[in-house]
């Protein structure tokens, strides 16, 4: 008999945490992205946060591959700084970080240098984000 | 890129000490049946069967997650550690899922005494995912005092939770028109405690009355199922619910608890065995199997007999491989 675990699957669904600040009312965009990601076969955990610590904690509990944070009301720099250092101190450096919302160009450059994989601002599509994730974690994309 | 598998020593050292990263990885290992799934089982062997497992089920939108949020609050106030497993449906088309239960539990996002995990049903029917029972065991081994399992919430045939929980809370709410539906789906029979949530709404009393009648009819048990009215969003009535839960758990002596463990293990093994068997059947590619299927096509054999014959065939072939 084979020693392989029964039903061992190499293609476990990609898990994505989508988080937005509790007081950010603009969640239509995030909900749309969540649906697109679901349709791409991802398991999407959807949550609100007040503290960046909550994103880190949720990412740990949900064992996600990707974190997407959407900030449209400003204050994005400290959020991403805290997020990256929180993930690092928990040994979660392999999680892909994506940003969404309105983020100025200069900040975008700084964030990317810090380790944020990409920023999806206005004019970008959920498909771009999906493709980036699939590129990194594998899996097939259906049109 | 996926994370590298860990060995039993890692899980023994980290998971049993309650390390959150290890717990999360162990749950993924179990869900995905990876190379280190067995290591997790080895590590937790003999360490489960301690926690009070509470199932929360009921119609969509009845307030299950909000009620779980309120329960977490109360249990935390007593200093108990909690694990929460929230199951949501997977899309039958893409296999993906939107897991949104924890949005209602966000009061506890940064509390190290609470560990919430969202699971997708991944095509499994019955309100849970295939791995849920084992995820509960892992949380138990990681030192959780209370483990709450929120089912998918179709309000239909979600009776599986009964097999993994010592206390099943069925949540109803006014305005959903689900009282009768719940009776039909056999949901009321599995309730150890019935909750009428959204007691702040005008129709709550009427719902409670209908439920009392329905539960009286549905219950084949001699012990009466309590009905508690709650308002999850203000925690009203939640202390009373806690009292019932505590009483139940206090009544669970060692013997009943290990009965429950045996029941759960039967479930787990049955699930694993049927998974194995269907795998073996999918590998069946023999003339003998074709003969069976052709007999069904010609109307000489019915499907049930064919199923039994093919299962026997698969079993024979696989056991010869040893
Ligand atoms: N008025 C009132 N609304 C409530 C109460 N509890 C929950 N709600 C609301 O009911 C809606 C559904 O609540 P959830 O907790 O998400 O319900 P659920 O049963 O977990 O829903 P699913 O997981 O989608 O099946 C939300 O808008 C809640 O704010 C309550 O006690 N009173
Ligand atoms: Mg819910």
């Amino acid at each position: 008999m084979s020693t392989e675990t029964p039903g061992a699957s190499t293609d476990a669904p990609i898990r994505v945490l989508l988080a937005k600040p509790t007081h950010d009312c603009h969640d239509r965009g995030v909900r749309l992205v969540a649906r697109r990601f679901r349709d791409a076969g991802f398991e999407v955990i959807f949550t609100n946060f007040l503290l960046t610590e909550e994103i880190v904690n949720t990412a740990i509990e949900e064992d996600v591959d990707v974190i997407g944070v959407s900030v449209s009301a400003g204050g994005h720099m400290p959020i991403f700084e805290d997020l990256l250092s929180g993930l690092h101190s928990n040994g979660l450096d392999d999680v892909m970080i994506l940003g969404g919302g309105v983020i100025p160009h200069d900040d975008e450059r700084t964030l990317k240098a810090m380790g944020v994989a990409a920023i999806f601002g206005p004019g970008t599509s959920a498909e771009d984000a999906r493709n980036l994730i699939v590129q990194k974690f594998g899996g097939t994309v259906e049109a | 890129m996926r994370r590298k598998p860990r060995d039993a020593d890692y899980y023994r050292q980290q998971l049993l000490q309650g390390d959150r990263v290890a717990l999360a990885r162990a749950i993924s290992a179990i869900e995905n049946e990876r190379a280190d799934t067995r290591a997790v089982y080895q590590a937790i062997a003999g360490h489960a069967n301690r926690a009070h497992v509470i199932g929360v089920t009921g119609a969509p939108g009845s307030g299950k997650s909000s009620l779980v949020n309120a329960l977490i609050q109360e249990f935390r106030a007593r200093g108990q550690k909690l694990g929460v497993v929230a199951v949501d449906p997977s899309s039958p088309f893409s296999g993906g899922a939107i897991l949104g239960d924890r949005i209602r539990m966000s009061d506890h996002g940064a509390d190290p005494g609470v560990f919430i995990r969202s699971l997708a049903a991944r095509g499994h029917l019955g309100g849970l995912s295939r791995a849920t029972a084992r995820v509960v065991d892992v949380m138990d081994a990681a030192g959780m005092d209370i483990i709450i399992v929120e089912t998918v919430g179709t309000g239909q045939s979600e009776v599986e939770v009964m097999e993994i929980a010592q206390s099943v809370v069925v949540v109803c709410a006014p305005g959903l028109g689900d009282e009768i539906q719940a009776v039909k789906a056999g949901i009321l029979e599995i309730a150890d405690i019935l909750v009428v949530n959204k007691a702040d709404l005008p129709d709550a009393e009427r719902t409670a009355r209908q439920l009392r009648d329905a539960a009286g009819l549905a219950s084949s048990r001699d012990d009466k199922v309590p009905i508690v009215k709650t308002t999850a969003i203000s925690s009203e009535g939640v202390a009373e619910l806690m009292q019932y839960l505590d009483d139940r758990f206090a009544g669970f002596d060692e013997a009943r608890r290990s009965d429950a463990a045996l029941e759960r293990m039967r479930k787990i093994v049955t699930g694993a065995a049927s998974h194995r068997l269907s795998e073996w059947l999918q590998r069946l590619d023999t003339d003998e199997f074709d003969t069976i299927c052709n007999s069904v096509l010609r109307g000489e054999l019915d499907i049930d007999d064919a199923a039994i014959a093919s299962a026997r065939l698969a079993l024979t072939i696989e056991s010869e491989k040893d």
Side-chain angles (χ1 to χ4, degrees), chain B residues 33 41 124-137 149 157-165 258-276:
Chain B
E33 299 190 328
Y41 294 149
H124 188 83
L125 303 173
L128 303 176
S129 73
R130 201 161 66 81
T132 305
R134 283 170 282 186
V135 171
V136 166
D137 284 342
V149 179
S157 314
E158 295 190 10
V159 295
E160 244 183 30
V161 68
M162 176 179 67
E163 286 152 30
I164 65 162
S258 61
D259 279 355
L262 181 63
E263 188 57 41
R264 193 154 72 229
M265 191 45 68
R266 282 200 194 112
K267 177 81 194 158
I268 290 171
V269 173
T270 307
S274 56
H275 190 69
R276 270 277 176 187

Side-chain angles (χ1 to χ4, degrees), chain B residues 58-67 88 101 104 150-153 197-201 230-234:
Chain B
S62 54
K64 296 180 293 297
S65 303
S66 309
L67 190 64
D88 271 316
D101 286 318
R104 304 259 172 238
E150 177 182 338
T151 72
V152 166
N197 188 42
K198 309 195 186 183
D200 54 317
L201 298 185
T230 62
T231 304
I233 48 176
S234 69

